[in-house]
Structure formats: structure tokens, C-alpha cells
Amino acid sequence: MSSRLLTDERQPLLPPHEQRQQADSERSSSSSDTLLPEEVENQIPDGSKLNLRLAWSLLVDAIPVILSYTLQNSIQATSVLVAGRLGPEELATSAFSVMLAFVTGWCIALGGTTALDTLGSQAFTGGHRTDLSIHLQRCIVLLLILFIPVGVVWFFIEPLLLALGQPASLSAGVQRFLRVLVLGAPGYIGFESLKKYLQCQGIMGASTLVLCIMAPVNLFLNIELIHHTSLGILGSPAALSITYSLCFLLLIIVTVRSPTHQRNGTWGGVEFRTVFQPRGCLSFLQLALPGILMVGTEWAAFEIVALAAGRLGELSLAAQSVIMTTDQILNTIPFGIGVAASTRVGNLIGTRSAVGAKHAAHASAFVSVVVGTIVMIVMMACKDVFGYIFSDDTDVVGLVSRVMPLVASFQVADGLAGSCGGVLRGQGRQHLGAFFNIIAYYVLALPLGITLAFHPKTHLGLQGLWIGQVVALFIVGFSEYAVVWVGTDWEQEVIKGIQRNEEEAKRRSIQLSSE
């Protein structure tokens, strides 16, 4: 099998969607041997031109993904803002509930679907395209099962919050909020899974289109249910649940009607017996569970910083709200680049192109560094006036300007963490991302930040908390880049990809023969 990789210098380095436009689609969908025709190979540029072309193509793929996650974040933000018009208690309840939903529930969808970054993207170009639909069905079913204990916790979370020292009114309100939000979990998980299914095929803009349609619908639902019905604050989770469900249904319609999806031939029908095959489920969970840890540990760390900032007083909490809102928006950029990178790397591993996957990995790191540098420069240039976007209070603006250089300083590292994390997901090494996050945030950064913020000898306040986050992101970013740069045997990753595809195909053939 490894001798097959000797032809890698002639393997496709172009983006998969460009390969499909130039190569014969029937040949590529029916055979695992996906070498480009000779006339196409001769058109592939060399050296720096190739890297720049890959970098530009990755950025183009990342833009709709960035917009998609920005719109998705805006749906939650809209819900909090509309509910907040009822009063400060309702604002606290909705904001706290949405935060808990992200950290404990939605990270199962966002983290668990990273298994599709590996299995789906490699299957799509590895000669077994209809296996992608099996991975999709398995993803939805298993993530719904994983969510069940989370849903139970949501239903009875009030005693837990009280034990953690939260006010009684807030604890009761959060429990009522989350009990309604449980209804939106199937829609959220289904939407995220189907979105990844399409991204594995290079269809990046479908979810963006759906969210562009649903964002104003979500605003309307929130206003109507919260302010014009007897639901009150519970209209917020009801609106979110309806929005998530409609997003999933609308994305199904877009997928069915997509000419590109029809040409790709990835849907093999509903196959429950194959989906529930034990070894296939185990293989999926071996990637999904570390993916959940990879996403959840980072999100939880930032939420812990937000909770710690609340103990520093109203001024620090206000400045923290400004900075966290800004960081959540900016984080969609490296996250989008990471999604594009995971798809590209997985696709190229599926085509057995070790050289192509390596080039794509380095191109994604290059894009993230360039974009991160630009963002850093802009943030530094406007740090003294940026706070006025959110507040007229000069004390808040002043504290934001003092903390903003710290946030700006980790943009390059955050970009590397996003892009290289995507590369690791494309390879199927989510466990490394989870490991780096746990060490960087929970062993080093959070203890350091909390000590700097609250210790009498330092008492750096909000700046101390963010110094810890800067340390964490630099550790994660450069550690993951080191793994991609020197810790990856790309030919071995291709062999692993071939084995994954062959194992799934074998399981499917055994299932078919038994029927």
C-alpha cells in the first residue's frame, strides 16, 4: 500500500472542487484511484504559485463558513438582547442560559461533528462517496444519544446551580429556560451535522444561505413570543427552538435541490442497519468524543474567565462583556479557516495525495497568520476608541483600551490554533487538540490568570485574567503548528485514511451480503 504513495508528486494539489470541474466525475466517483488526467496535472503550478493559489482558495472557502458562524452567533445574541428588554433579571437569565447551552449542550454538536471532518471528507474523495451519507446518519443518531444525559441535567439543573452559589431566582429561571430549549436540540444537532456533510463536499455556502433567511425570522419570533404572548422570558428558548428546527428543515430542502449535491452522488439512502453497526459507531465515537473535548474545553475556559470577571466588580464585568463579544466575533475567522482546512486536508488524504495534504496544511497556517496579523494591527490602531461602540462610560472605554492589546496580541496564535486544529481534524487527530487545550487552559492559563487577577501582590484584575488566555492560546497555537510542521508523517496519514475508507466499505458490503 505504501508503494502507491510513491506517485504523490503527481497527485492532485488543486482544491477538490477544481479537480471535480476538470476531471471526469464518473471516474472519480467510482474508483479509489483518483489521479488527475495528464493534461490536468500539467496545469498544476509549482512552488510559491501553488502555495499562493491554495492559500487563496482556502480563504475563499473560509469566507462563507465565517459568515455562517457569525450569523449563527447572532441568533443567540438576538435572543438575549430581545429578552433583556424585559428587565435586568430576564437579561441575566437568558445570557446565563445561552452560555450554559453552549458549554454543556451545543458543544456536543459542534465538537461531535468534527468526526465528519475526518471520515466524511476522506470518504468523499476516497472512492466511497455514498459512505458519506452513512457517516451523516450515524453522526445525527449518536450525537442525539450523547445529548440525552445533557438534556436530563438541563431539566434538573436548579439544585446544581444553587450548590454552585448562584442566586435562587436565577437558578430557577435558568432551569425553566433550558427545559424549553431542549426542544431545539434535535434541530441544532441535525443542522450542524448536515452542514458538515455539505462542507465535506466543498459546498460551503448552503448553511450561510439558510442562516441569512432565518436570522430575520429569528428576530421576529423572539419579538413576538417574548413581548406579545404570555410566554415572556420563555418565549426566548421557544423562538430559538423553532429557529433551529427550521434551519435544519430548510437546509434539507437546499441540499435536496442542490445541483452540486446531486452531481456528487453522496446520498446512498437511509441505511439504519449499517449506521448502527457497532464497529462503525465505535470508530465514529473515537473521533467525536475528543472533538467534543477539543471544542468544549476552550469554550468553557473563556466562560470561566467571564464568571471570574464578574467577581471583580461592575466596571470589569462591563469591559469583559465588550471584549468577549468582540472576541466571539473575531473567533469566527480562525474557526472558518479551520473548517476549510479540515475539509481540504481530508479531501486530499482521501485522494491519497500526501504532498497535496501537506501543502494545504501549510497554506492554511499561512492564511491564518496573515489574517491574524491584519486583525491585530486593526485592533491596536483603534484600541483607545473601540469601547465607545458599546458604551459611553469613559471608565469602561479606558479599561477596554488597556486590555485590548492583550486580546490583539493573541490573534496570530488564535489563527494558528484554528487552522492547525482544522488540519488535525482532517487527519483524525482530534485527541491532540483536546490534550493541548486541557494542558494550556486548565493546568496553566486559568490558574495563572486567576492568580494574577486576584492575588494581593499582583491584583491585575481583568488584565490578569486575559494574560492567562494569551498564554493558553500561544501554547495551543504553536503546539498544534509544531505537530503539523514536524510531527506529521503525511504518507502514514494517507495510509490511515485508506484504511478508514476500506473498513467502512467492508462493513457495508458485509451488511449488504447478510441481507
Side-chain angles (χ1 to χ4, degrees):
M1 185 180 295
S2 59
S3 63
R4 172 69 177 79
L5 302 180
L6 295 176
T7 61
D8 268 345
E9 293 297 339
R10 294 170 56 79
Q11 293 287 321
L13 303 184
L14 293 177
H17 65 274
E18 293 185 23
Q19 296 173 28
R20 293 194 298 274
Q21 291 173 356
Q22 297 178 19
D24 180 80
S25 60
E26 183 177 348
R27 177 192 58 79
S28 64
S29 64
S30 61
S31 171
S32 61
D33 187 5
T34 55
L35 287 171
L36 287 179
E38 186 70 29
E39 63 273 14
V40 177
E41 292 182 11
N42 291 336
Q43 297 172 10
I44 296 177
D46 296 319
S48 60
K49 289 183 179 180
L50 170 62
N51 290 327
L52 287 174
R53 183 174 178 181
L54 279 171
W56 175 252
S57 179
L58 279 165
L59 184 59
V60 170
D61 279 352
I63 288 173
V65 180
I66 293 169
L67 291 174
S68 174
Y69 284 104
T70 301
L71 287 168
Q72 207 160 329
N73 288 340
S74 75
I75 287 176
Q76 282 76 234
T78 297
S79 181
V80 173
L81 291 173
V82 175
R85 303 288 294 181
L86 293 173
E89 184 175 340
E90 288 80 1
L91 175 61
T93 298
S94 59
F96 197 86
S97 300
V98 168
M99 178 199 75
L100 276 179
F102 264 114
V103 174
T104 61
W106 301 157
C107 70
I108 290 178
L110 285 167
T113 53
T114 62
L116 289 179
D117 288 332
T118 307
L119 299 171
S121 59
Q122 292 180 12
F124 178 61
T125 53
H128 306 284
R129 290 194 173 186
T130 53
D131 286 352
L132 182 52
S133 65
I134 295 176
H135 294 311
L136 168 64
Q137 295 167 61
R138 187 175 288 147
C139 179
I140 293 174
V141 171
L142 292 181
L143 294 188
L144 284 173
I145 293 173
L146 288 176
F147 181 80
I148 290 174
V150 175
V152 173
V153 171
W154 283 10
F155 254 77
F156 305 101
I157 200 170
E158 182 179 0
L160 177 60
L161 294 178
L162 291 172
L164 294 174
Q166 298 302 319
S169 60
L170 177 65
S171 301
V174 169
Q175 178 171 278
R176 289 194 298 270
F177 190 106
L178 292 179
R179 283 182 173 182
V180 178
L181 192 59
V182 164
L183 300 174
Y188 194 99
I189 290 172
F191 178 74
E192 284 298 322
S193 301
L194 186 54
K195 178 168 67 175
K196 282 289 178 134
Y197 166 81
L198 294 172
Q199 288 171 349
C200 289
Q201 307 172 50
I203 305 174
M204 300 294 186
S207 60
T208 309
L209 172 63
V210 169
L211 289 167
C212 283
I213 296 171
M214 289 306 305
V217 173
N218 174 67
L219 175 60
F220 171 79
L221 288 171
N222 273 278
I223 293 173
E224 287 297 313
L225 294 179
I226 293 173
H227 294 286
H228 297 95
T229 71
S230 60
L231 289 173
I233 182 64
L234 295 183
S236 177
L240 284 173
S241 297
I242 294 170
T243 298
Y244 295 146
S245 301
L246 290 177
C247 282
F248 182 35
L249 292 174
L250 187 54
L251 190 57
I252 291 174
I253 294 171
V254 171
T255 301
V256 171
R257 297 182 65 85
S258 169
T260 304
H261 177 258
Q262 293 173 6
R263 287 197 304 270
N264 288 341
T266 52
W267 181 251
V270 177
E271 301 182 52
F272 283 122
R273 292 185 64 184
T274 307
V275 166
F276 286 106
Q277 209 279 337
R279 291 182 63 86
C281 291
L282 179 61
S283 297
F284 184 90
L285 290 174
Q286 287 174 339
L287 296 172
L289 294 177
I292 293 170
L293 280 176
M294 188 176 181
V295 173
T297 49
E298 182 174 5
W299 280 7
F302 277 86
E303 297 300 345
I304 290 171
V305 168
L307 293 174
R311 301 180 66 86
L312 293 169
E314 292 183 1
L315 176 62
S316 294
L317 182 59
Q320 169 69 13
S321 299
V322 173
I323 294 165
M324 275 295 294
T325 301
T326 304
D327 183 67
Q328 286 173 352
I329 295 171
L330 292 177
N331 184 253
T332 61
I333 299 175
F335 195 82
I337 295 172
V339 171
S342 63
T343 299
R344 184 65 51 80
V345 169
N347 285 162
L348 288 165
I349 288 175
T351 63
R352 306 185 182 189
S353 175
V355 171
K358 180 179 180 180
H359 275 283
H362 295 317
S364 68
F366 171 75
V367 170
S368 67
V369 169
V370 171
V371 174
T373 301
I374 294 172
V375 172
M376 178 181 68
I377 293 171
V378 172
M379 293 180 72
M380 290 298 295
C382 64
K383 66 182 181 64
D384 293 330
V385 297
F386 185 82
Y388 286 112
I389 298 175
F390 299 87
S391 175
D392 294 327
D393 190 310
T394 55
D395 291 334
V396 173
V397 174
L399 183 53
V400 169
S401 70
R402 292 195 295 274
V403 178
M404 191 64 74
L406 295 171
V407 181
S409 68
F410 66 60
Q411 294 306 309
V412 173
D414 197 18
L416 278 177
S419 61
C420 294
V423 172
L424 293 178
R425 296 194 300 269
Q427 295 173 341
R429 302 166 84 185
Q430 287 88 334
H431 63 283
L432 290 180
F435 172 77
F436 289 138
N437 280 354
I438 292 171
I439 298 299
Y441 285 107
Y442 297 92
V443 177
L444 299 173
L446 285 174
L448 172 63
I450 291 173
T451 300
L452 292 175
F454 294 100
H455 196 280
K457 291 184 178 180
T458 54
H459 199 64
L460 292 176
L462 190 60
Q463 290 170 286
L465 289 175
W466 279 95
I467 287 172
Q469 299 304 92
V470 170
V471 170
L473 280 163
F474 271 94
I475 291 173
V476 173
F478 285 98
S479 296
E480 291 182 348
Y481 184 65
V483 170
V484 172
W485 181 261
V486 298
T488 298
D489 183 339
W490 287 99
E491 291 192 356
Q492 187 61 36
E493 293 304 319
V494 170
I495 292 174
K496 291 179 182 177
I498 294 172
Q499 292 172 342
R500 288 189 189 100
N501 288 332
E502 290 180 348
E503 286 172 2
E504 186 61 45
K506 184 177 179 180
R507 285 193 291 267
R508 192 175 191 182
S509 63
I510 292 174
Q511 189 69 54
L512 290 173
S513 62
S514 65
E515 295 175 356

